Amino acid sequence: MLHNSQSWLDDELEADSSFEEDPQPQQYFSLRAHRLARKPPRRRSVKKLLEEGLKDPKAPKFSDPGLQELYEKQLFSELLWELRSGKEATVYVVRATEKSWPDNPEALLAVKLYVDSRVRSLKNDALYRQGRLVSDQRMKKAIDQRSDYGISAQNILWVEEEYRQLHALHQLGVPVPRPVAHAGNAILMEFVGDEDGPAPRLSEAGLSREEAQEALEQAVHNLGLILSAGKIHGDYSTFNLLWHEGRVVVIDFPQMVEWDKNPLAMEILERDVRGLCRTFGHLGIHPKPEAVIRRVWQIAHANPTRYTPMEVSYL
Ligand SMILES: Nc1ncnc2c1ncn2[C@@H]1O[C@H](COP(=O)(O)OP(=O)(O)OP(=O)(O)O)[C@@H](O)[C@H]1O
Ligand SMILES: [Mg+2]
């Protein structure tokens, strides 16, 4: 699906002569490679999540309550393997059920499981929390004081928030994994990939120059659609964009902000655009941030919703 290609992008890209001599080393990761990929010590292994040596059939199957809840609700039948551990969460692959994925109960799904916020390090947490409304005063106080209650409340707020954003973007038609359910620290969603493996991130997909240009068009288009809903991703780069069957799929939303609730929204949008341009630089194409941000606004205004912000002057 080409988005108005041969137009703004052709004019704005600077030719990169080094690209031909510098092929991308990253190829499609095998599942095994994914399983062996980064494994920070905080991650919880599949083995640890499955309670061992269960004698009591009534005892929970999983040590994580969110995972256990999703299992008890029959939203997945089996925990298959660990896909990837990030800074804040580990993503696992599970087998769907009739209830969670009626089209194909044998399908694979992804579960993103957050670590406890005591050990979380989300970049500049306060920046993102600005403008996030915590209406319950008792909860707000507990969060501010970082009491145990506050920490678990905050964890759940983060997960709910990510799920809410995922859901809203899916409704809007932005290509994101289809959300299925959330419980505790876990989010259950569509697995982007197939039985042979997960979709690679753009950063590691080994894209040709032509594919990278197409991916950039789509990435910018998606950012514009997200802005049309009055939202900003907050960590938009080739590391949070997957490449699946010629399409860019956007993931990872815990730091999304809303235009009318966060006074730093403009800065965060500009930072997203710079991050996108910088990381596309590693793929051998060098879009100019000023051109990209103009295009993002154009796309947002071409697809207005009642939340679409007014463009701000850049002079
Ligand atoms: N629905 C999905 N389908 C396929 N792969 C996924 C899915 N969700 C996440 N992944 C993979 O898991 C990785 C980590 O997911 P995500 O970016 O949401 O978590 P994170 O904790 O923010 O990780 P990081 O710190 O690496 O950004 C992604 O880079 C991607 O490779
Ligand atoms: Mg990520």
Side-chain angles (χ1 to χ4, degrees), residues 6-58:
Q6 314 302 325
S7 56
W8 71 282
L9 184 57
D10 286 354
D11 300 338
E12 300 297 350
L13 286 178
E14 290 160 359
D16 176 21
S17 54
S18 67
F19 185 71
E20 301 303 335
E21 299 116 54
D22 182 22
Q24 293 299 307
Q26 308 96 332
Q27 287 304 319
Y28 197 96
F29 269 17
S30 69
L31 283 183
R32 188 167 152 69
H34 260 283
R35 262 174 279 168
L36 296 175
R38 298 173 298 148
K39 290 194 170 178
R42 292 199 312 259
R43 94 193 203 281
R44 282 178 284 177
S45 66
V46 168
K47 192 165 157 226
K48 194 160 173 214
L49 285 165
L50 283 165
E51 290 287 356
E52 293 155 352
L54 287 178
K55 305 237 162 47
D56 176 2
K58 284 194 199 133

Side-chain angles (χ1 to χ4, degrees), residues 228-248:
S228 77
K231 297 174 192 293
I232 298 144
H233 184 281
D235 192 10
Y236 204 70
S237 76
T238 56
F239 296 100
N240 283 327
L241 297 169
L242 305 182
W243 183 244
H244 185 49
E245 297 172 345
R247 293 195 77 204
V248 170

Side-chain angles (χ1 to χ4, degrees), residues 196-244:
D196 291 332
R201 307 188 287 187
L202 287 185
S203 56
E204 69 196 10
L207 301 181
S208 66
R209 184 178 176 81
E210 211 176 31
E211 285 172 326
Q213 285 203 19
E214 170 60 20
L216 175 62
E217 292 275 1
Q218 290 188 29
V220 171
H221 188 83
N222 295 340
L223 194 57
L225 285 185
I226 296 172
L227 182 63
S228 77
K231 297 174 192 293
I232 298 144
H233 184 281
D235 192 10
Y236 204 70
S237 76
T238 56
F239 296 100
N240 283 327
L241 297 169
L242 305 182
W243 183 244
H244 185 49

Side-chain angles (χ1 to χ4, degrees), residues 29 34 38 42 83-93 108-115 122-123 162 166 176-178 187-194 197-201 203-204 233 235 237-242 249-255:
F29 269 17
H34 260 283
R38 298 173 298 148
R42 292 199 312 259
L83 177 56
R84 193 161 216 153
S85 270
K87 293 177 291 296
E88 316 297 336
T90 303
V91 178
Y92 302 88
V93 179
L108 300 176
L109 297 180
V111 177
K112 182 168 180 178
L113 192 58
Y114 275 93
V115 297
L122 194 82
K123 285 171 271 165
E162 175 157 8
L166 181 61
V176 295
R178 186 166 123 197
I187 293 177
L188 181 64
M189 63 184 136
E190 179 180 357
F191 170 72
V192 185
D194 53 35
R201 307 188 287 187
S203 56
E204 69 196 10
H233 184 281
D235 192 10
S237 76
T238 56
F239 296 100
N240 283 327
L241 297 169
L242 305 182
V249 179
V250 187
I251 59 164
D252 202 3
F253 311 96
Q255 58 285 303

